[in-house]
Amino acid sequence: MFKFLKGVVGGSGTGLKDLPYNIGDPYPSAWGSWSHFRGTTKDDGSPVSIFSLSGSNPQDGHLAAGRNGVKRLRTVRHPNILSFLHSTEVEAIDGSSTKVTIYIVTEPVMPLSEKIKELGLEGAQRDEYYAWGLHQIAKAVSFLNNDCKLVHGNVCLASVVVTQTLDWKLHAFDVLSEYDGTNGTATGPMLQYEWLVGSQYKPMELAKSDWATIRKSPPWAIDSWGLGCLIYEIFSGMKLGKTEELRNTASIPKSLLPDYQRLLSSMPSRRLNTSKLIENSEYFQNKLVDTIHFMEILSLKDSVEKDTFFRKLPNLAEQLPRQIVLKKVLPTIVKLFASNDRAVRVALLQHIDQYGESLSAQVVDEQVYPHVATGFADTSAFLRELTLKSMLILAPKLSQRTMSGSLLKYLSKLQVDEEPAIRTNTTILLGNIASYLNEGTRKRVLINAFTVRALRDTFSPARAAGVMALCATSSYYDMTEIATRILPNIVVLTIDPDSDVRSKAFQAVDQFLQIVKQYNEKSNAGDSAGTGSLGISSMPGNASLLGWAMSSLTLKGKASDQAPLTAANSVTSAATTTSTASSGLIETPSTAPVHRVSSSTDFADQPMPPSPTSTDGWGEIENGIHEEQDSDKDGWDDIEPLEETKPSPALANIQAAQKRPVSQPVSQPKPQATTSVRPKSTVKVTKDEDDDLWGSIAVPPPKSASKPLNVKTAGAVNDDDDPWAAIAAPPPTTKAKPLSAGRGRGAKPAAPKLGAQRMNRTSSSGM
């Protein structure tokens, strides 16, 4: 048979060449006279199963039954019945005779007998998996008998196949017929092709062809007997040889034995309805069945039930068969990521650290991340933060294309989010995933993200996070970058108003000075090898960053849980302030006062000198330091802005907040000439936001060393020399106002004269 099929596929036959599938190797067993082959689609190579049935006589009874099976399988649809894809009938000349072959193409499946051998389950795990499979077949049989008034006629081990996700499905519909017991005038055989059924599988009334008794019996009588035969075969581990073997119950689980005996009752009218078997049997009440059933109806559960389930899932997964967890539970979870139900998305993200490691890199990159990424732009700050934290688990599994082309774009926007905790966690995440970025991307991203953005953030924990991130990634910077870009920006923070920031700044200065000293010693010793980049990974800042981020990741958002976890106490407590309840979503107001998340000092009262250096954001490096620019598109080039437009005055006012988060000396121009450094809302930029990236807060380089940093306008810098100049903001020309609110999302542009509208954000009015 297989040789014949290969010849047909090779072109010796007619008609099969138009079949859009390739026939592969056969399985060793199949139901009846059918052959079961592995197959693939010609278009994309996706797997399928191909069943074939051949006969030399067009009027062969096997072919007639096969045509009945094709018609029934095409029209009967149920989750636990084999999914039909395609069918065809081919005539081929073999010598002097003509052979007719019927082909059925279905979803990819494997005979149950072969899958049982492959899994090799034993003991309780075997019984739990068998319970789940029998539960599925019982539902399929109940659907045919009770809902469709159809009789399958030959439920047995050979008529069950298993999908790639280990689901059991019923097929072999050649004998399937309508139940006509309610038709008083019906005569003759009710099952036209019952002669295909082996005698060992026939109940007494069918073996005697007692159609009168069969018509007086309930519709499930014959198939309930068949289900009993299936139970015997899977637990005994052998094919049923004769009917008398069904009396041997030694291998049947005790909890299933009473129902097994009722399924095989000698009186057809007393046989157990398969629907009652599903509802009442104690055997089907186990961890695996309950877990999979809960996941199938997860969208119908409330938030408390979902949260409880995901908390228990890791412990349950350890008790279930590993193959079933990977192929059944985790695919199911992947499908849930496509759900539009926010409660489901929140539950998945809150517990992703408990199952995310088990997801393959391909599944994460192609199926999970595209759905998770929608949370980066969600209107709920709570969901944005959960999405951000999930990247600590998912980012290592992403491809470089996804990291550079998608993830970094989202992170660039989150680093200027209206919520200070989200800005802080974005810096933390960048420090943790730096090792997964390619060298070109690290060169373009890290220093600018940590110095231009994080170190100048108005939120003190965000500045502390920037210092720690620089320390944790110190091995990625060369001596020129350390001496001219990193140290000058960190030294400024040694007089930061916040004591925690000052402490970390001093540690960072010591660490980077030590690196420079080592470089100097090696240079003096004539050791030119290895002096280009030195890092001290054992410094305190390096060791604490990952643990600090993980601690933040596991917090559930309760106010009582926001206690200091490590030396970076102010950051860890602030990193979870957007979520104040674990049972639902929290809409964080865009005007949340700073004192709600931090007790940092008012920046207007304690001025801090401006940074002595200026960079252009997450792109090319200024101040006379030129980075090698290669043409590869897997670095930062493919996500740099293509063109810049001149900003509106309101946008310049908004961007001034992060450009210079510290106040200037008191002897600056009078207040009427200033603009507010903390408006309530952002302003839409005319250019594509996806290409904005970290450039939206970039600072133009000084025109000369002798001029002050407060240039007149952002548009005064040549756009060709500084691609971020069009949206760069001038520093405030008077004392900076205390920042009390995050950048608004979707609000109207701020009024031009914001400097005259200063309000006390710490008042009890809730502004």
Side-chain angles (χ1 to χ4, degrees):
M1 170 60 72
F2 182 56
K3 181 178 180 181
F4 163 70
L5 287 176
K6 287 293 186 180
V8 173
V9 176
S12 62
T14 58
L16 190 59
K17 62 182 180 180
D18 297 326
L19 186 70
Y21 302 93
N22 299 312
I23 299 177
D25 297 330
Y27 287 102
S29 62
W31 181 86
S33 299
W34 288 87
S35 297
H36 183 184
F37 298 86
R38 299 172 179 87
T40 58
T41 59
K42 291 181 178 179
D43 290 338
D44 57 9
S46 57
V48 295
S49 277
I50 300 177
F51 297 85
S52 68
L53 176 67
S54 297
S56 58
N57 183 353
Q59 304 304 320
D60 189 337
H62 288 87
L63 292 177
R67 295 185 185 102
N68 177 65
V70 172
K71 180 185 70 173
R72 299 293 187 177
L73 191 62
R74 180 189 293 114
T75 56
V76 178
R77 298 298 179 109
H78 186 269
N80 304 120
I81 292 177
L82 184 61
S83 298
F84 173 90
L85 298 178
H86 183 82
S87 67
T88 188
E89 190 169 325
V90 178
E91 291 186 2
I93 299 176
D94 185 15
S96 59
S97 62
T98 301
K99 285 191 175 182
V100 178
T101 305
I102 299 174
Y103 294 96
I104 304 178
V105 183
T106 70
E107 62 180 316
V109 290
M110 185 177 186
L112 175 59
S113 57
E114 301 300 319
K115 179 57 69 173
I116 289 176
K117 295 177 184 177
E118 181 183 283
L119 292 175
L121 299 176
E122 297 179 353
Q125 291 189 344
R126 184 202 69 165
D127 290 348
E128 288 188 349
Y129 179 59
Y130 285 0
W132 169 245
L134 288 172
H135 186 270
Q136 292 180 300
I137 298 302
K139 287 196 295 184
V141 173
S142 176
F143 170 73
L144 293 175
N145 299 160
N146 298 298
D147 299 333
C148 303
K149 296 297 185 276
L150 296 171
V151 178
H152 183 278
N154 192 200
V155 178
C156 61
L157 182 66
S159 64
V160 179
V161 288
V162 184
T163 67
Q164 293 179 322
T165 55
L166 301 182
D167 291 309
W168 292 18
K169 295 204 172 185
L170 184 66
H171 81 123
F173 282 6
D174 294 23
V175 185
L176 190 142
S177 301
E178 286 84 3
Y179 172 77
D180 61 1
T182 57
N183 185 358
T185 62
T187 58
M190 187 173 71
L191 303 180
Q192 183 179 357
Y193 304 106
E194 57 86 18
W195 50 270
L196 289 172
V197 181
S199 59
Q200 71 271 32
Y201 295 111
K202 291 182 178 180
M204 186 62 66
E205 68 276 14
L206 186 58
K208 294 180 178 180
S209 297
D210 187 355
W211 299 111
T213 300
I214 292 174
R215 287 188 168 92
K216 293 178 182 178
S217 304
W220 59 82
I222 293 177
D223 289 341
S224 291
W225 179 278
L227 190 60
C229 296
L230 171 62
I231 292 174
Y232 172 82
E233 288 184 313
I234 64 172
F235 283 106
S236 66
M238 60 182 69
K239 186 177 180 180
L240 182 63
K242 53 185 179 180
T243 305
E244 289 74 15
E245 293 177 357
L246 296 172
R247 298 181 182 276
N248 183 6
T249 61
S251 61
I252 308 299
K254 292 183 179 180
S255 58
L256 184 59
L257 184 58
D259 293 322
Y260 171 78
Q261 293 172 332
R262 292 182 63 190
L263 288 170
L264 297 173
S265 174
S266 59
M267 298 180 62
S269 60
R270 298 183 62 181
R271 288 180 192 146
L272 180 65
N273 188 339
T274 51
S275 64
K276 300 297 183 183
L277 173 68
I278 299 171
E279 296 172 2
N280 302 329
S281 179
E282 177 187 350
Y283 178 69
F284 295 112
Q285 299 174 8
N286 62 57
K287 297 183 183 68
L288 180 61
V289 175
D290 293 343
T291 299
I292 297 176
H293 179 66
F294 187 95
M295 295 180 70
E296 289 179 342
I297 59 173
L298 185 65
S299 60
L300 303 179
K301 301 295 183 178
D302 59 39
S303 59
V304 176
E305 291 176 306
K306 292 172 184 175
D307 186 69
T308 302
F309 170 75
F310 280 106
R311 288 178 186 273
K312 293 181 178 179
L313 184 59
N315 292 331
L316 285 173
E318 294 178 359
Q319 304 173 34
L320 302 177
R322 181 66 177 172
Q323 301 96 320
I324 298 175
V325 171
L326 294 177
K327 294 185 178 181
K328 180 61 184 175
V329 178
L330 291 178
T332 304
I333 289 180
V334 168
K335 292 178 182 178
L336 292 176
F337 277 103
S339 173
N340 293 324
D341 186 345
R342 273 190 171 182
V344 172
R345 293 165 62 192
V346 167
L348 289 170
L349 293 175
Q350 283 182 321
H351 302 281
I352 198 169
D353 57 319
Q354 298 171 348
Y355 62 84
E357 295 293 344
S358 299
L359 299 174
S360 67
Q362 182 179 3
V363 168
V364 170
D365 194 57
E366 298 177 0
Q367 300 180 48
V368 176
Y369 175 79
H371 296 297
V372 173
T374 60
F376 284 123
D378 198 274
T379 56
S380 168
F382 180 59
L383 195 52
R384 291 200 307 276
E385 185 178 33
L386 285 178
T387 304
L388 174 67
K389 292 178 179 180
S390 71
M391 290 301 110
L392 196 60
I393 304 296
L394 301 181
K397 299 177 181 289
L398 297 179
S399 64
Q400 284 297 319
R401 180 184 180 90
T402 303
M403 292 271 280
S404 299
S406 177
L407 177 59
L408 290 180
K409 288 186 177 182
Y410 286 118
L411 296 185
S412 75
K413 296 180 184 298
L414 291 182
Q415 211 181 18
V416 289
D417 193 89
E418 63 187 15
E419 290 299 325
I422 292 179
R423 300 199 302 270
T424 303
N425 281 334
T426 302
T427 301
I428 292 172
L429 178 64
L430 279 170
N432 278 277
I433 68 173
S435 61
Y436 303 104
L437 302 175
N438 60 48
E439 184 177 359
T441 302
R442 286 197 295 260
K443 286 284 186 181
R444 293 170 175 83
V445 172
L446 296 185
I447 293 183
N448 292 304
F450 297 150
T451 60
V452 177
R453 289 254 174 112
L455 297 190
R456 301 183 184 185
D457 199 292
T458 56
F459 191 52
S460 60
R463 298 198 298 277
V467 175
M468 296 178 68
L470 284 170
C471 292
T473 57
S474 61
S475 60
Y476 300 130
Y477 312 126
D478 57 37
M479 291 305 104
T480 304
E481 291 171 329
I482 292 175
T484 61
R485 303 192 62 200
I486 296 178
L487 279 172
N489 282 282
I490 295 179
V491 167
V492 175
L493 299 182
T494 58
I495 57 172
D496 191 273
D498 187 86
S499 61
D500 186 60
V501 175
R502 293 196 302 271
S503 174
K504 288 180 171 55
F506 279 114
Q507 294 178 10
V509 169
D510 291 340
Q511 176 176 341
F512 284 105
L513 282 178
Q514 184 65 25
I515 295 174
V516 176
K517 289 178 181 178
Q518 290 182 4
Y519 173 80
N520 178 64
E521 292 173 357
K522 288 190 176 183
S523 298
N524 292 338
D527 182 8
S528 59
T531 57
S533 177
L534 296 172
I536 304 178
S537 59
S538 61
M539 293 297 288
N542 295 29
S544 63
L545 182 66
L546 181 60
W548 161 46
M550 288 297 291
S551 299
S552 176
L553 179 69
T554 57
L555 290 179
K556 301 305 177 187
K558 296 181 180 179
S560 59
D561 294 337
Q562 296 176 4
L565 296 174
T566 64
N569 53 358
S570 62
V571 183
T572 53
S573 61
T576 56
T577 52
T578 55
S579 55
T580 57
S582 60
S583 60
L585 296 175
I586 305 298
E587 294 288 346
T588 306
S590 61
T591 57
V594 170
H595 64 79
R596 291 172 55 189
V597 292
S598 174
S599 59
S600 58
T601 311
D602 192 325
F603 294 109
D605 297 331
Q606 296 196 23
M608 182 174 64
S611 171
T613 61
S614 176
T615 57
D616 62 352
W618 286 41
E620 296 179 359
I621 305 174
E622 294 289 334
N623 300 321
I625 303 166
H626 300 284
E627 188 176 295
E628 290 184 5
Q629 299 294 332
D630 46 32
S631 59
D632 61 298
K633 293 301 178 182
D634 61 345
W636 193 240
D637 293 337
D638 57 338
I639 53 176
E640 286 186 338
L642 298 178
E643 61 181 29
E644 299 295 335
T645 57
K646 183 175 295 186
S648 63
L651 177 60
N653 292 335
I654 293 172
Q655 305 301 347
Q658 283 195 309
K659 183 242 175 186
R660 195 66 63 200
V662 297
S663 58
Q664 300 293 334
V666 180
S667 59
Q668 292 292 330
K670 295 183 179 180
Q672 59 268 21
T674 188
T675 57
S676 172
V677 296
R678 196 55 165 152
K680 292 183 179 179
S681 63
T682 59
V683 179
K684 292 183 179 180
V685 186
T686 57
K687 65 173 184 175
D688 185 1
E689 290 185 357
D690 288 340
D691 291 333
D692 184 17
L693 302 175
W694 279 265
S696 60
I697 49 84
V699 185
K703 292 184 177 180
S704 65
S706 61
K707 293 186 178 181
L709 292 176
N710 52 337
V711 292
K712 292 183 179 180
T713 62
V717 182
N718 188 342
D719 288 350
D720 294 335
D721 296 332
D722 184 3
W724 277 265
I727 54 173
T733 56
T734 185
K735 290 200 302 182
K737 305 301 184 295
L739 301 183
S740 60
R743 298 173 57 173
R745 301 174 67 86
K748 295 182 178 180
K753 297 183 180 180
L754 292 177
Q757 299 180 5
R758 180 179 181 184
M759 301 178 67
N760 184 5
R761 303 301 188 188
T762 60
S763 65
S764 60
S765 61
M767 293 298 290

